[in-house]
Structures are given as structure tokens and as C-alpha cells.
Amino acid sequence: MTDRNPSEKLLTKPVPQSLRLFPDTWHPYLELMRWDKPAGTMLVFWPFAWGLTMAAYQQKLPLIIYPVRLIEYLVAAFMIRSSACTINDIVDSDFDINVERTKKRPIPSGRISIKAALLFLLAQYLIAIAVFYCILDGLAYTVTVIQLLPLSIIYPFMKRVTNFPQAWLGIAINLGFVTSYLAQDGQKNVPMLFTGMIGCWCWTMLYDTIYACQDKRDDIKAGVNSSALALGSLIGPMLVVFGLAFLAAFISAGALNQQTTAYYIISIGGLVVHLTWQFFSVDLDVPDSCGKTFRNNGQLGWIIWAGLATDYICKIYGPLSPLRELARA
């Protein structure tokens, strides 16, 4: 990979509203870290939030601490995702120039050189490691650094050596589930963590395969491997398999964590409805439909979290506590 010739004609696109608050010179770097596309950050954040809430439920974590932890993990998710996007764009710069959806990104468009992107990536890593050191310790810190560095760095290279790079992404993007649980629950419920990770992995295989369907034609020309291409005519049935495995894993994880009926009604019931809607609404041959369904998986995270949070709050204050608080007000 070499820096692109500055004399090349730059590819431009409209400036997103979320970038207009910043100086123009910042825009390429903010785009590199996907500041203007928060859906990906939420997909990294939700496993953190689910793991934290399941541990908080088990440990009866004081409610005053819980939102602070959530914010910390949101920051961690943003740092992991933003640095992963930077390394992905550096490695894939030669591919991206040949793909319609990605050719206007900062590196292939010539707005940032490879050297500048590498320096920016180094700064991202140093800041992230410092922040993780302040908010995590022990095994949780180690797992998060592993997620930040080797797992995220290797992912873009997997597109060159396997037809299923999403399988690696499913591990790299979801380790926050383990991190946040370990940080709160010293008992290390290994069966629940393993089952939950399987569920998260299947979820990633579902939404990222749908995401990859946006670029099938261009990926063939560029030589990029993806599950969307590898599955071929089986893609529809396999998406259903991933969805059902996701559902089954979270039913089991709930049982292993001793969740109550609220979790099964809100989280599992909501998951069934959302997955059913996805399967019947997505058109895998229409890129806009695939992109919309991918982004909507960020909303699915709220559904699972809502049931977990209800269980947690009810365990601390009792099932009627919200009504009592309203009556007192």
C-alpha cells in the first residue's frame, strides 16, 4: 500500500450534518472513524451493555453506579469501533477505490494519506489503552485490549484469506459482553458467558451478512471475500439459522443467569418480533434495504437491554417500585 498521488482528482460527497460543527480539516479524520455513522458504535456497545446488566442483576449493583458504567462502556465501544474502522480503511484502501459505496471514503478519495491515517490510528490506540486502564482492571482490561488490538487488526486481513471474515468479526466485535460481565461479577459464570457469546456471534453473522449484500457485485470485481458471496443461494435460509441460533442462545443465557419472566417477555419476545420483521422486510438484492436492515439491528439492542434492565431494577427495588415512586411524586 502506498500513499495516493495528491494530484489525483478527489472524490467528494456532501458533508453530513454531524460533521458541520467541526473545522473542515477535521472532516476526513472524523469520517475515517465513522463519527457520522453511529450505528456501528451501537453494535459494539450492546454486548457491553448486556453483559454489564446481567452482572448487575446477579450482583445487585447499586443503581447509582450502573449508569456510570454504561457511559464508560459506551466510550470504550466508540474507541474500539473507531480505531477498527481506521485500520479497516487503511488495509482495504486498494479495495475501496473499486467499490461504489466506499470509493468516497477519506483514503481512497485521496483526502488522507496512508501515512497520516497510520499516525491517526496510533493516537487512537494510545488514547484508548489509557482510557481502558482508567476504567478497567484485571482480566477485564486484558480482554478489552485484546479486542482493541489483535482481534480488530486481523479482521480486514481475513477478507483476503477466508470466505467468512464475518466469523472473525463476530468474535472481535462482541468481546465486550465478556469484559463487562467479568468487570462486575468475580464468579465468572463461564457457561453463561460462552452461551451469550455464541448468541452475539450469530447476531453478527446475521447483520453483517446482510450488510455485505450491499456490495456483492463490486466485491466480486474487487476480489473481496464475504459470507454474502460464499453462501450464494443459501443466504436466505442461513440468515434464518443465524437468527434462530441467536434466539436460542439468549434463551439459554437468560436461564443460566437466572433471569425472570420480564426478560423472556420483553427481551426474548421482542427479539422474536424484530427478527421476524427483518426476515420478511429485507430485500437482499436491494442495497438500500440491506443497509437499512443493518442499521435497524442497532435498535434491536434496545429490546434485549430493556428486558435485562427491567429484571435488574425489579431485583433491587421490587417489581412495584416504579409505581411507588410515581405515587410519591
Side-chain angles (χ1 to χ4, degrees):
M1 293 180 294
T2 58
D3 291 357
R4 301 197 178 277
N5 190 333
S7 65
E8 291 182 4
K9 182 179 178 181
L10 299 184
L11 296 167
T12 59
K13 62 179 182 178
V15 177
Q17 186 67 39
S18 59
L19 301 184
R20 293 177 183 175
L21 298 174
F22 302 95
D24 291 349
T25 53
W26 293 21
H27 291 180
Y29 294 95
L30 292 170
E31 288 180 48
L32 194 64
M33 62 195 293
R34 308 294 195 274
W35 177 271
D36 56 323
K37 297 178 179 178
T41 295
M42 296 308 295
L43 292 172
V44 179
F45 168 68
W46 284 124
F48 276 106
W50 300 340
L52 168 66
T53 310
M54 294 177 88
Y57 168 77
Q58 278 294 327
Q59 298 296 310
K60 299 185 72 171
L61 182 72
L63 192 59
I64 195 171
I65 298 175
Y66 179 74
V68 176
R69 293 285 183 267
L70 269 183
I71 293 171
E72 289 175 348
Y73 289 131
L74 180 59
V75 172
F78 172 76
M79 290 182 167
I80 291 169
R81 189 260 181 152
S82 62
S83 61
C85 289
T86 300
I87 185 63
N88 184 79
D89 283 11
I90 291 170
V91 175
D92 284 355
S93 59
D94 292 335
F95 285 159
D96 287 347
I97 193 66
N98 297 311
V99 177
E100 184 64 30
R101 186 178 58 85
T102 61
K103 67 183 182 181
K104 294 181 180 179
R105 286 177 176 174
I107 296 176
S109 68
R111 289 177 290 145
I112 294 180
S113 69
I114 296 292
K115 180 179 179 181
L118 285 169
L119 290 173
F120 182 63
L121 177 65
L122 177 60
Q124 287 178 284
Y125 283 152
L126 292 175
I127 293 171
I129 290 172
V131 170
F132 296 162
Y133 183 79
C134 293
I135 65 176
L136 298 168
D137 55 29
L139 186 56
Y141 173 76
T142 302
V143 172
T144 307
V145 172
I146 291 173
Q147 182 178 9
L148 175 73
L149 294 173
L151 292 183
S152 296
I153 290 173
I154 291 172
Y155 167 66
F157 294 99
M158 299 300 286
K159 302 173 192 177
R160 292 157 169 79
V161 299
T162 176
N163 290 326
F164 293 93
Q166 283 78 13
W168 184 270
L169 182 66
I171 299 172
I173 204 171
N174 292 308
L175 269 185
F177 182 81
V178 176
T179 299
S180 58
Y181 195 95
L182 290 178
Q184 297 303 141
D185 188 351
Q187 296 183 9
K188 302 179 181 64
N189 187 342
V190 175
M192 192 284 295
L193 290 174
F194 182 74
T195 305
M197 275 297 295
I198 290 176
C200 290
W201 184 88
C202 291
W203 181 43
T204 299
M205 289 297 296
L206 170 69
Y207 68 67
D208 209 65
T209 298
I210 293 173
Y211 180 82
C213 286
Q214 297 177 100
D215 304 322
K216 285 191 291 186
R217 291 188 181 89
D218 288 333
D219 284 349
I220 292 172
K221 296 176 184 177
V224 178
N225 295 325
S226 77
S227 55
L229 296 177
L231 292 172
S233 61
L234 294 176
I235 189 168
M238 285 306 300
L239 289 177
V240 174
V241 169
F242 291 138
L244 291 176
F246 175 29
L247 176 66
F250 267 75
I251 290 174
S252 299
L256 290 168
N257 204 53
Q258 300 176 325
Q259 302 293 150
T260 71
T261 305
Y263 168 75
Y264 290 98
I265 293 175
I266 299 172
S267 299
I268 301 303
L271 179 55
V272 170
V273 172
H274 198 284
L275 289 175
T276 303
W277 169 78
Q278 283 191 56
F279 295 146
F280 281 99
S281 65
V282 67
D283 187 336
L284 299 176
D285 294 319
V286 178
D288 286 346
S289 176
C290 296
K292 180 180 179 181
T293 302
F294 167 78
R295 292 188 294 273
N296 283 334
N297 272 275
Q299 306 304 318
L300 185 154
W302 287 103
I303 297 172
I304 295 178
W305 176 78
L308 292 170
T310 300
D311 263 1
Y312 163 53
I313 292 172
C314 288
K315 187 171 186 178
I316 293 179
Y317 296 107
L320 299 179
S321 59
L323 298 177
R324 292 194 187 106
E325 292 299 324
L326 285 174
R328 290 173 184 171

